[in-house]
Structures are given as structure tokens and as C-alpha cells.
């Protein structure tokens, strides 16, 4: 099996995305996986209307390591021109919009952060505090997006005064049975 086919399968990439090259950089202990998108009919990622290809933007994402080698995905991501939304970068299947990490890497990072301190997680994963924070924020947003509104069987409403004078705070809590 060729290395491009191996990474194509490891990454689970499907048409129109395909791995076109794998380069090992010994000095930096890095493997770079080049990914391309074969031509197809484009749609604006915002409104799903058909759009024309404008150009390509080179983007990089950190993926799960390959053994002791840091693994980076490098892709020429198409940008399309939508009449309503202007020039927009198409969505890639392996990462969220503004993330510089693949979804697999973010999943691992969250698991590590749940088990140890943030500084220890940064050390283990080789990421900065700001990058760890970005990964956490995106995980929180995903969790909130999955939440569904449910009717609460009972609510407690109370009013408490605080400080001096007539300052009151209304406290709404969910009552448990
Ligand atoms: Zn649009």
C-alpha cells in the first residue's frame, strides 16, 4: 500500500478530497500530508447556492501524531464567490471553520484536558495555552448546539437582599424532587 493510500484511509477522506503526497521531515519530526480537492460543482457554505470557484487558500491543521512524528494536513482549500456572501472558503470535512486542528486532534485534546491540568495538557500535546483555550471553547459551543430545550417540572423563585439598603436579587433555580 502506498503512503498516500494509507493516509487516505487513516484520515477517512472521501471524494472529492484525496491525499496527493506524504512528506517526512526528519529534522522537525514532522509528517506533512498534502490533501487536494478534485474539481466539482461548488456551493456557498453559508447559503448552499451554487457558486463559482474563485481561488485556493493553503491551510494547515495539526492531526494526531503518526508514531513520534507530529502530523500536519496541508490542503489547498477552494474559495468560492457567492453573490450574497462574497468570497467564502468551503468547509472541510476534518475540521471546524476556524480551527487549526483536526476534529480527531481536538477530541484527544479534550480527553487529555479532562484528565489533567491545562498546563500539563499543553505540555503533553505540544500546544499553547491559547490553542487549548480555543479547543475548549469550540467543544463548549458544540455541546451547547446539541442541547435541546426541555420544560422544567418545577421552578423555585426567590428574592434575596444583598448588601445594605434595598438591593434585591431574584434567584431562579430548578427544583429537584
Ligand atoms: Zn452564499
Amino acid at each position: 500500500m502506498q503512503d498516500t493510500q494509507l493516509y487516505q484511509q487513516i484520515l477517512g477522506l472521501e471524494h472529492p478530497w484525496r491525499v496527493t503526497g506524504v512528506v517526512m521531515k526528519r529534522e522537525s519530526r514532522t509528517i506533512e500530508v498534502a490533501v487536494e480537492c478534485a474539481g466539482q460543482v461548488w456551493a456557498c457554505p453559508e447559503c448552499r447556492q451554487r457558486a463559482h470557484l474563485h481561488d485556493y487558500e493553503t491551510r494547515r491543521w495539526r492531526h494526531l501524531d503518526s508514531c513520534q512524528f507530529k502530523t500536519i494536513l496541508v490542503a489547498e482549500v477552494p474559495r468560492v464567490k457567492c453573490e450574497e456572501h462574497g468570497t467564502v472558503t468551503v468547509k472541510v470535512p476534518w475540521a471546524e471553520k476556524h480551527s487549526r486542528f483536526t476534529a480527531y486532534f481536538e477530541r484527544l485534546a479534550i480527553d487529555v484536558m479532562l484528565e489533567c491540568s491545562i498546563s500539563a495538557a499543553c505540555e503533553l500535546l505540544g500546544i499553547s495555552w491559547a490553542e487549548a483555550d480555543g479547543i475548549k471553547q469550540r467543544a463548549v459551543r458544540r455541546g451547547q448546539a446539541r442541547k435541546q430545550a426541555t420544560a422544567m417540572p418545577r421552578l423555585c423563585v426567590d428574592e434575596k437582599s444583598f448588601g445594605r439598603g434595598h438591593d434585591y436579587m431574584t434567584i431562579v433555580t430548578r427544583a429537584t424532587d
Side-chain angles (χ1 to χ4, degrees), residues 6 10 21-22 26 36 41 47-48 62-63 69 77 86 89 114 129 136 142 144 149 155-156 162 171-172:
L6 177 70
I10 286 174
V22 179
R26 272 179 205 277
E36 254 182 30
V41 176
C47 63
R48 310 303 307 158
R62 168 106 183 259
H63 187 55
F69 285 77
V77 186
T89 306
L114 287 171
W129 187 281
K136 263 200 302 185
R142 281 195 300 274
Q144 283 174 338
L155 281 179
C156 293
F162 67 98
I171 300 165
V172 181

Side-chain angles (χ1 to χ4, degrees), residues 149-156 172-175:
T150 51
M152 292 192 191
R154 276 184 213 129
L155 281 179
C156 293
V172 181
T173 47
R174 181 180 180 165

Side-chain angles (χ1 to χ4, degrees), residues 44-49 82-86 88:
C44 167
E46 305 293 332
C47 63
R48 310 303 307 158
Q49 292 295 310
C82 168
E83 284 186 7
E84 195 185 336
H85 298 99
V88 202

Side-chain angles (χ1 to χ4, degrees), residues 19-48:
V19 174
T20 54
V22 179
V23 178
M24 186 171 82
K25 298 185 172 177
R26 272 179 205 277
E27 332 74 60
S28 57
R29 283 189 162 202
T30 304
I31 289 178
E32 282 192 5
V33 183
V35 178
E36 254 182 30
C37 188
Q40 61 164 37
V41 176
W42 301 104
C44 167
E46 305 293 332
C47 63
R48 310 303 307 158

